[in-house]
Amino acid sequence: LKAGMRHFPTHHGFLFRKYKGKTACEAAFDNLGETEAMSIIRRCIPPGDCHSIVHRAADISTVLVMNEFVKYYPDEFYTRDANGRTLSQVQFHAELRRGKKTFHHDAAFFMGATDDEVEKKDPMLGLYPCMVAASGNTSDLYAVYTLLRRSPKVICQLDECKG
C-alpha cells in the first residue's frame, strides 16, 4: 500500500481496484478484520490529506466498506471530491451505475434524491442520472420519468450542449 500510494496517489494505492471480484480493501477486511485493516490504511493514507478516500470508497466499494471509511475519516464526509461532488452525489451516482436500483423495487431511492444528485452529471459516464437510468439492461422508464419530472431543466442543459 505504501509503494502504491507513492506511485499512484490518485488511485489510493489501488486500494479499490477489483481483482477476482473483490477490491484489495475488501480482501484486507476479510483477512485482517476491519480494525486492523483500517489501522494499516490510516498509517499509509493519513486523515486530513484531502484525498477524498471516503468518496472513492462510496464510488467503488460496498456500503459496509464506505461506512468503515466514514468512521475513520469523518472530516471527509463534508468535503467534495475532485469533481466537486458531495458524498451523497457520489453514492447516488454509484448506485445508479451499478444498475441494481429500479423504481419498482426501490422507489424511495429515486423519490428521495436531492436536486444536487439529480442535476449533476456522473463524471465516470458523462451522463445525467436520468440518462443512466435509461441505459443498460435495466432501462427503467419509471425511474427516468421520476428523475426528469424532478428536474426538467436537465433537458434544457442537454439542448444547450447540442449548440
Side-chain angles (χ1 to χ4, degrees):
L1 183 58
K2 247 183 208 183
M5 281 304 293
R6 185 175 32 245
H7 298 289
F8 304 100
T10 57
H11 292 30
H12 299 100
F14 295 114
L15 192 58
F16 301 108
R17 186 175 177 129
K18 287 203 178 206
Y19 178 72
K20 294 185 179 180
K22 276 190 177 181
T23 64
C25 182
E26 291 167 334
F29 280 17
D30 290 346
N31 294 331
L32 304 171
E34 283 117 12
T35 306
E36 181 66 23
M38 285 306 298
S39 173
I40 293 167
I41 292 167
R42 280 180 58 119
R43 274 186 265 144
C44 296
I45 307 170
D49 281 354
C50 298
H51 35 62
S52 303
I53 196 165
V54 172
H55 294 75
R56 186 80 170 143
D59 206 14
I60 303 297
S61 294
T62 63
V63 173
L64 173 70
V65 171
M66 197 270 311
N67 283 333
E68 283 301 314
F69 276 89
V70 168
K71 283 193 266 182
Y72 287 91
Y73 295 89
D75 292 342
E76 287 194 23
F77 191 83
Y78 303 103
T79 62
R80 293 180 180 265
D81 70 0
N83 295 306
R85 296 181 302 165
T86 63
L87 186 59
S88 68
Q89 288 172 323
V90 171
Q91 289 173 300
F92 184 74
H93 290 154
E95 286 296 327
L96 276 178
R97 206 177 320 110
R98 288 181 189 118
K100 296 187 179 179
K101 296 281 186 185
T102 63
F103 190 82
H104 179 71
H105 291 103
D106 197 354
F109 172 77
F110 295 97
M111 298 301 288
T114 65
D115 292 343
D116 286 344
E117 293 166 349
V118 173
E119 295 168 2
K120 183 87 171 168
K121 278 185 181 180
D122 181 341
M124 289 183 113
L125 301 175
L127 302 173
Y128 287 101
C130 62
M131 298 163 79
V132 176
S135 64
N137 293 334
T138 54
S139 190
D140 187 351
L141 186 60
Y142 290 109
V144 173
Y145 174 74
T146 301
L147 294 170
L148 282 174
R149 186 168 179 231
R150 178 69 187 273
S151 182
K153 66 181 169 184
V154 168
I155 296 295
C156 298
Q157 291 169 341
L158 290 173
D159 253 357
E160 291 170 8
C161 290
K162 290 182 181 177

